[in-house]
Structure formats: structure tokens, C-alpha cells
Amino acid sequence: MLTNIFFSHHCISPPNENVISDRWRPWWERYQPISYKLCTRSGNETEFRDMVTRCNNVGVYIYVDAVINHMCGTNAGAGNHGACGSYFNAKTENFPAVPYSVWDFNDGKCKSRSGDIEDYHDIPQVRDCRLSGLLDLALEKDYVRSKVAEYMNHLIDIGVAGFRIDAAKHMWPQDVKAILDKLKDLNTQWFSAGTRPFIYQEVIDLGGEPITGSDYFGNGRVTEFKYGAKLGTVIRKWSGEKMAYLKNWGEGWGFVPSDRALVFVDNHDNQRGHGAGGASILTFWDARLYKMAVGFMLAHPYGFTRVMSSFRWPRYFVDGQDVNDWVGPPSNSDGSTKSVTINADTTCGNDWVCEHRWRQIRNMVVFRNVVDGQAFSNWWDNGSNQVAFGRGNKGFIVFNNDDWAMDVNLQTGLPAGTYCDVISGDKEDNRCTGSQVYVSGDGMANFQISNHAEDPFMAIHVNAKL
């Protein structure tokens, strides 16, 4: 269910050949390339082409996670243990399937003692040395830029709509720009002539370092990691934070400008304690609070929003650290990935979480599409953790994150009528499977939300009017 009624874009894991580190196949192997052949545990090029075509044909566009900063780690060895069986030698920096040789890496430019990044306050080191031992490509060389662009253009020819640029912080902005300038316009079979690929860059900028997200604005949007970290702190009510303080959410909280921001509650890294954000990050493991956070994100106009879709893994904490944070997707005994099964209620089985299929999140995606372009309006709060706001005359959302019940009359800005609360249920034909909200002629409505509710928030929009 990735139809364009709900989701217009889908970001996929890196589709190019990666190292197979061991029979247990950790999730991070996808971020250790050995070639640009389209071949991973997710499938081969024929299967990739089929997916892109089928998705494009129903208006769901594919963004590819492009790992172009580096190849595999220095300790990956040598041989044919890649997803397609291509030969490589990490020690001699030989990747004949591209081909790259030792001359195509940044060893000579890196000034750290170990060859790895040791000091994040040293800009050349962050961009010229190895990130966690990953072989750092010399992207100032036109040959390397051309091989990267060749890979990305091949994906554009197949029909992808854009790219997440992995580890952009570890590349010089002008090198990223030089590669992007080599990219073709999107495939006119699905996109208007002259349409450029959508670009967003992974730049972890929590403040306190010389490299900032703004360094990359000229190339496209950037990931705003402060968003999930701060929102998690507020929803968890840590450090004295309250939802009432969210009235000026966005740039007022020190975030990048809305038209440069790619925002999310969690991602594949920080839901495992990697990357950025720390313990405040909310994930599917914290389902009740997580749904509230994602609901707030999708209702609020700030940024270009991304919803996570995950798989479960067997968490096991030792001294506060999840020692199973490496575990890859649900797999069969032979190492093959398990199929995504669909339950009767349209959620997923087989340990696939599929947050995007949860009713509350799916319906808030619809909410965001309905209120697109409408102004942030009719803010209300109780000075604590009960808040509400609207989006013009199209939608209204209410939260009770306090430890007591809520019973308030609020100005919604919506036309008079009976609405289906899309958090507790669905509008089916002209009836509602959840709670109903009555909006009077003056736009006022009563909202009653128990602090013990499974989902202590409500949302209504004009397409959910009965």
C-alpha cells in the first residue's frame, strides 16, 4: 500500500553491490559498496527495474540511498564475497568491477595518524579521512566523479526520482555539486521534461562542530537531525520540556530553514543508537509516544517529512548498549530475507514493522496531503502538554500528553459538520469506525481525550467529514 493516496515517495536501501561480511548479514553491509552493479540481498537489476516501473506507474517515486563517499572497510579482506560475486581487494584498494584502484582514494590527503577521522573539529580530516575505516574516495578527481555520476545516471535512466546522499558531511560540498551537475534530468516516461532529481544530503549537525548543514544548501535539502532529537525530548517530557513550547517549532528552535529541511522522528541509524540524537529518539519500540511524535510531524508545516518503515530485531542490552544493534532484516535459516506478509488489518507480519501501514500514521499522511499549502493556525495550549493547532480551514489536530484528562472547546477553523477522528478510526463510506467530532457553525468543537487512551491525540480534516 504505497499508492499515491498516501505516499508519493519511497527511499530504498543502497541498491548497489556490497560486501558480504559474514553469514549473519548485518544491516550495515549495505553501506559498504564494492561495485555499482545493481545486486543486493533485495534483488538484482531486473527486479529493481520492475519495482521502479511498477511504483512509478502508480505515482510512487523512488529515492535511492546513494553511498558515494566511500567503498567498503579496510578490514573487508579480498575475494569474491560481494552480493554479485565481484572480486575486490580492500587491502590493496582494488575494485575492478568499477574499476577503482589505489589512486582513486584519499589516503594521500588524509593527515590523521590512523587514516581515520579522529577530530570532528578538523574539517579536512572529516572530509578526507576514513569514516570508521571505510575507504574514502577521492571525489576531487574527475574520473571518480564520473564513475559515481555514471552509476547515478544509470538509476535515473531506470526511473528513480532522486537520491539521499549518504555521509554528505564527509564530502566537500563542491565535490558533491560537481557530481550532481553531471546528472541527467529525470526519465520523461514518468516525469516532465527538464525535471531535476530531488536531492537530500545526510549531514549530521547537532551544533558544536565547524561543519554545518548550511554548507550544503546549494546542493539540495539536508537532514535536520536536531528535529527528532528535540521532538523526542519534548514528547518524553525530559529536561523540563513541554508540548506548549512547540508553538514556534521549526526555525524558532534553531533548525535549518523549512525549505532546506528533510525531517524525521527516527531513521535506520539512530533508532539503533547509531548516528545522531541519543536516547531521546523515539522509535516503534515506544509505540504510543512514537505515534504522537509522527502525528505532530505530519501535521506541522515545517520541512519535507519522511516516515520510517522498519523491521524488528532481538534487542539485548548490556550495560545500556544494545549488543544486537547490528542485526539485519528478518531472515530465513539460509540467510535469505523473509517475505513481508500482510495481516488482516493491513499491518505487516514476519517481524516487519511497517510503521507506514499503522492506521494512525497512514491516516496522518493523508492529513498532510489534504492540508498541503495551508497556514499553521489556531494554536492552543494549556501551558503544559495539551496542545492543538490547525492548518487553515482544512485540518485540525489535538494532543493530550498530560497525566490528566482533557475536555476543552477549541476553535478548529473548519467548516461546520461531523468529522471522523482519523487517529481512532477510518472514514468508510459515510460512517466512522472511530470517534466523531462535531464542529459547530462558528468553527468550535469539543475534544475529550483521556490520558489513558491508547492514542491520546485526535485529528480531523475536510476529507474525513461525514
Side-chain angles (χ1 to χ4, degrees):
M1 189 172 58
L2 280 173
T3 67
N4 61 9
I5 300 171
F6 302 107
F7 296 91
S8 60
H9 299 87
H10 178 55
C11 183
I12 62 162
S13 298
N16 58 305
E17 185 178 16
N18 55 264
V19 68
I20 297 177
S21 59
D22 59 47
R23 65 184 290 264
W24 301 110
R25 309 293 299 273
W27 66 267
W28 46 256
E29 72 175 30
R30 297 288 286 268
Y31 292 85
Q32 298 210 19
I34 60 167
S35 83
Y36 297 133
K37 296 177 183 177
L38 300 182
C39 177
T40 66
R41 63 175 156 214
S42 297
N44 58 30
E45 179 166 339
T46 300
E47 293 165 317
F48 180 80
R49 284 178 176 273
D50 179 61
M51 176 197 69
V52 173
T53 297
R54 286 188 294 117
C55 287
N56 280 347
N57 286 345
V58 295
V60 178
Y61 303 128
I62 300 299
Y63 296 156
V64 163
D65 198 347
V67 183
I68 61 175
N69 170 69
H70 56 262
M71 298 301 279
C72 65
T74 52
N75 61 354
N80 302 95
H81 51 289
C84 290
S86 297
Y87 176 81
F88 70 97
N89 188 326
K91 188 171 184 179
T92 62
E93 300 179 9
N94 182 29
F95 297 88
V98 178
Y100 287 141
S101 72
V102 66
W103 306 108
D104 299 317
F105 294 89
N106 269 333
D107 302 339
K109 288 182 71 179
C110 175
K111 300 295 189 257
S112 75
R113 181 171 294 183
S114 65
D116 286 0
I117 300 167
E118 298 169 355
D119 180 4
Y120 272 82
H121 292 275
D122 183 332
I123 292 176
Q125 192 176 122
V126 174
R127 290 174 172 158
D128 293 334
C129 296
R130 296 170 180 169
L131 169 64
S132 303
L134 298 165
L135 295 168
D136 200 66
L137 285 166
L139 292 171
E140 82 282 0
K141 291 184 61 175
D142 190 63
Y143 172 76
V144 178
R145 292 172 176 176
S146 295
K147 296 309 290 185
V148 169
E150 181 183 291
Y151 161 59
M152 296 172 76
N153 278 328
H154 181 46
L155 293 166
I156 289 172
D157 288 341
I158 289 171
V160 307
F163 301 93
R164 171 191 183 266
I165 307 297
D166 180 67
K169 175 180 180 175
H170 301 284
M171 297 178 269
W172 294 92
Q174 63 269 28
D175 291 342
V176 176
K177 181 182 187 303
I179 292 166
L180 298 180
D181 286 347
K182 291 178 181 286
L183 298 187
K184 301 177 179 181
D185 294 339
L186 298 185
N187 188 322
T188 54
Q189 183 176 343
W190 296 288
F191 304 97
S192 302
T195 303
R196 298 297 293 160
F198 180 86
I199 302 296
Y200 68 99
Q201 304 156 96
E202 185 202 18
V203 182
I204 298 176
D205 173 16
L206 296 175
E209 293 179 13
I211 295 177
T212 65
S214 61
D215 297 345
Y216 295 83
F217 287 173
N219 296 330
R221 289 185 182 256
V222 298
T223 50
E224 179 49 279
F225 276 88
K226 291 191 287 287
Y227 189 103
K230 293 285 190 182
L231 188 57
T233 301
V234 173
I235 299 290
R236 291 182 187 275
K237 299 186 279 193
W238 288 357
S239 305
E241 294 286 6
K242 302 174 181 178
M243 288 192 77
Y245 300 157
L246 296 173
K247 184 175 183 178
N248 67 335
W249 183 246
E251 293 94 341
W253 281 62
F255 301 161
V256 301
S258 180
D259 65 352
R260 295 291 88 188
L262 189 290
V263 299
F264 44 93
V265 173
D266 64 329
N267 80 344
H268 65 280
D269 275 320
N270 63 19
Q271 71 173 195
R272 291 167 170 75
H274 296 240
S280 70
I281 295 296
L282 288 166
T283 72
F284 69 86
W285 297 107
D286 321 287
R288 188 172 186 260
L289 298 181
Y290 183 72
K291 285 180 281 186
M292 272 200 285
V294 175
F296 183 91
M297 175 183 76
L298 291 170
H300 197 280
Y302 175 82
F304 190 95
T305 53
R306 183 182 66 191
V307 171
M308 186 65 189
S309 189
S310 312
F311 56 81
R312 280 183 191 80
W313 70 94
R315 290 201 301 181
Y316 184 67
F317 288 94
V318 176
D319 297 328
Q321 180 69 36
D322 179 10
V323 297
N324 284 340
D325 62 2
W326 58 270
V327 173
S331 299
N332 300 304
S333 56
D334 64 356
S336 61
T337 303
K338 286 185 178 179
S339 298
V340 180
T341 54
I342 306 300
N343 300 322
D345 64 356
T346 78
T347 60
C348 297
N350 255 358
D351 279 333
W352 297 97
V353 180
C354 303
E355 296 94 320
H356 70 284
R357 282 179 169 266
W358 294 2
R359 182 193 65 247
Q360 302 86 342
I361 292 176
R362 162 172 52 84
N363 285 349
M364 282 307 301
V365 171
V366 175
F367 180 104
R368 187 171 190 81
N369 292 336
V370 170
V371 304
D372 184 43
Q374 295 288 308
F376 178 76
S377 58
N378 291 308
W379 174 269
W380 172 88
D381 67 72
N382 69 341
S384 185
N385 289 289
Q386 296 178 5
V387 303
F389 63 89
R391 295 292 302 277
N393 62 356
K394 295 287 184 71
F396 194 74
I397 191 164
V398 187
F399 296 86
N400 179 14
N401 200 28
D402 272 328
D403 297 327
W404 57 88
M406 175 184 196
D407 184 351
V408 291
N409 297 309
L410 300 173
Q411 175 55 249
T412 67
L414 298 188
T418 302
Y419 292 80
C420 182
D421 165 38
V422 298
I423 304 305
S424 59
D426 295 302
K427 178 186 174 185
E428 294 180 355
D429 299 320
N430 208 39
R431 66 184 189 89
C432 181
T433 63
S435 302
Q436 297 182 16
V437 176
Y438 305 95
V439 176
S440 60
D442 59 0
M444 296 295 290
N446 176 256
F447 293 91
Q448 299 179 22
I449 304 176
S450 167
N451 52 305
H452 300 298
E454 177 191 354
D455 296 305
F457 65 114
M458 301 177 78
I460 56 177
H461 58 76
V462 290
N463 286 14
K465 190 176 178 185
L466 301 175

